[in-house]
Amino acid sequence: MVRSRAEYLINKLISNTLTEKELDELLEGLGKDEMLEPYSSVLENYFNALIEEENPASKPELTINPDRDNQGAQAKRTTTRLPVQKFYTDYKGIAAFIALLFSLGTLYYFVSASKSYPLTALNRTTKAASTASPHTKEETVPRGKRKNLRLSDGSLVKLNSDTKLRFPKAFDHTVRTVYLQGEAFFNVERDESKPFVISAGDLKIKVLGTSFNVKNYNDENEVEITVRSGRVSVNLNSNSSTPIILIKDQKLIYNKASGEFKITDVNAAQESSWVNGSLQFNNTPMLSVERAIEKWYDVDIIIENKALYNTSFTGVHFNESLTSMLESITYAIDAQYEINGRTVVIRN
């Protein structure tokens, strides 16, 4: 049940044993209105416990009855406080922090106090959140995960692994602008009065209502835009006065280093097949295959023989396990693999 899961996550936060993935799950629940309610009772319990600890007079008392053998004498009464379980001193700040999260409803508008919290990952998150506008939201998808998101205008966005999207809570009356780092498939709700703009590094992608895929990873030297339906206008940089128009089944590949680009005809459905749980490679260089697998399965790949980077791979893989994927690839390039935890070594 969600409630028991919420209690599990918050208890682990209090005990300082929360993993980074569990922290992401907790923050996601606290950062969404529709997911916040299941956490409410757990957070209220911790908040009330904290209040009781700070106000000893409110603690329940146990009264021992007068000694019945001393009839007629002044009854003696002894009052003893029941023990109340205490938070460890190091975690009192965390409990207060959780209660504050509950009152705010979202982590992204929380400005961290000067107190240092023991969770390193939490520190990173609150520092980043303190610079966020109260009118914007940010969705982050870690490696090995994918996520669907619906914006306030009704547009549907599918976020691939290792992706971050920043967007307004509600779009203004002139333009709908979002910021992308990673890969996402957009199905934009048509509104001719308010263009939809994606900022992807130097590129500005403008549409009125269409579906298309944008790939813009920091660790890759190229930005790719593939149109599945409608038309897309692309400005390569802020100084570009003449936009590039892409139509259905066209793909633009922009080189970040050189500023050069090319447009090719493709099967857009195949190019964005990841949205349906499929990885497709078509004479894809080994380096691109390696990066795709690392993000898809949340692993780190080590290729011992660098000559393997001169090879390419073609294949379709639909919701396959990591082992099945590696079996297929190493068979095609005449190599072997070894899995050690989250590290994969490929050798021949």
Side-chain angles (χ1 to χ4, degrees):
M1 296 175 59
V2 177
R3 184 173 299 277
S4 61
R5 181 63 178 175
E7 186 172 3
Y8 167 80
L9 292 173
I10 294 172
N11 281 335
K12 290 201 69 176
L13 178 60
I14 292 296
S15 63
N16 199 15
T17 59
L18 201 65
T19 67
E20 188 169 352
K21 286 186 177 180
E22 290 170 337
L23 175 62
D24 290 338
E25 181 182 348
L26 175 61
L27 296 180
E28 180 180 4
L30 291 169
K32 288 189 173 183
D33 293 339
E34 67 272 17
M35 295 178 64
L36 185 61
E37 185 176 356
Y39 289 83
S40 60
S41 64
V42 181
L43 292 169
E44 285 176 337
N45 288 339
Y46 280 117
F47 180 79
N48 291 335
L50 183 65
I51 294 299
E52 287 181 358
E53 184 180 2
E54 296 298 329
N55 298 278
S58 66
K59 295 180 182 180
E61 297 183 348
L62 174 64
T63 300
I64 300 178
N65 290 331
D67 186 356
R68 296 181 179 178
D69 293 334
N70 298 326
Q71 296 180 1
Q74 180 66 34
K76 297 181 181 179
R77 303 176 64 90
T78 305
T79 300
T80 305
R81 299 190 185 280
L82 286 174
V84 177
Q85 184 176 3
K86 294 179 177 291
F87 295 129
Y88 289 102
T89 302
D90 291 344
Y91 300 137
K92 289 176 66 174
I94 300 179
F97 174 65
I98 294 175
L100 183 58
L101 287 183
F102 174 60
S103 65
L104 293 179
T106 173
L107 176 66
Y108 298 109
Y109 319 130
F110 171 74
V111 181
S112 177
S114 59
K115 180 177 176 60
S116 298
Y117 298 100
L119 290 175
T120 304
L122 189 57
N123 282 334
R124 292 198 301 268
T125 306
T126 53
K127 288 178 182 178
S130 65
T131 62
S133 165
H135 303 294
T136 63
K137 297 182 71 174
E138 186 172 274
E139 288 287 348
T140 301
V141 182
R143 296 199 313 177
K145 302 290 184 180
R146 282 154 293 283
K147 186 173 187 178
N148 293 339
L149 175 69
R150 190 169 293 279
L151 304 181
S152 63
D153 66 335
S155 297
L156 178 64
V157 186
K158 298 188 176 184
L159 305 177
N160 204 351
S161 304
D162 196 20
T163 293
K164 181 183 298 183
L165 184 75
R166 191 168 77 252
F167 55 94
K169 283 183 165 183
F171 293 111
D172 61 29
H173 300 294
T174 58
V175 66
R176 298 171 286 171
T177 303
V178 301
Y179 300 85
L180 174 69
Q181 176 186 315
E183 184 171 18
F185 181 85
F186 295 85
N187 197 335
V188 176
E189 193 74 15
R190 188 171 186 82
D191 187 344
E192 296 184 2
S193 66
K194 291 195 294 185
F196 193 99
V197 177
I198 300 97
S199 178
D202 291 337
L203 275 63
K204 298 293 184 292
I205 305 152
K206 180 178 177 181
V207 302
L208 297 178
T210 182
S211 60
F212 56 99
N213 194 82
V214 181
K215 185 178 181 183
N216 175 41
Y217 283 109
N218 287 343
D219 61 350
E220 298 184 14
N221 195 39
E222 293 179 336
V223 180
E224 299 179 0
I225 304 167
T226 307
V227 181
R228 183 178 288 193
S229 67
R231 291 158 56 91
V232 172
S233 172
V234 183
N235 282 84
L236 299 182
N237 54 63
S238 57
N239 299 321
S240 176
S241 57
T242 305
I244 300 168
I245 305 299
L246 302 175
I247 61 174
K248 179 182 178 180
D249 288 331
Q250 282 191 330
K251 177 180 180 178
L252 181 144
I253 304 174
Y254 171 78
N255 188 292
K256 298 177 185 177
S258 66
E260 298 178 347
F261 72 93
K262 63 180 179 180
I263 299 174
T264 60
D265 294 327
V266 297
N267 183 324
Q270 291 182 358
E271 290 284 324
S272 56
S273 61
W274 66 266
V275 301
N276 300 316
S278 175
L279 278 180
Q280 295 194 19
F281 303 109
N282 184 17
N283 200 29
T284 305
M286 190 61 195
L287 179 59
S288 297
V289 173
E290 174 187 7
R291 287 173 174 168
I293 295 175
E294 287 181 330
K295 293 178 174 69
W296 194 264
Y297 295 99
D298 188 19
V299 295
D300 298 312
I301 296 179
I302 299 174
I303 297 181
E304 292 186 344
N305 184 357
K306 304 308 177 185
L308 291 177
Y309 284 118
N310 298 325
T311 62
S312 59
F313 182 73
T314 298
V316 179
H317 304 270
F318 183 75
N319 283 335
E320 291 188 14
S321 66
L322 173 62
T323 302
S324 298
M325 172 68 77
L326 293 173
E327 289 282 356
S328 178
I329 290 177
T330 54
Y331 176 81
I333 62 177
D334 193 23
Q336 298 176 337
Y337 71 90
E338 178 182 343
I339 302 176
N340 297 312
R342 290 179 53 253
T343 300
V344 176
V345 179
I346 297 178
R347 59 173 65 93
N348 62 352

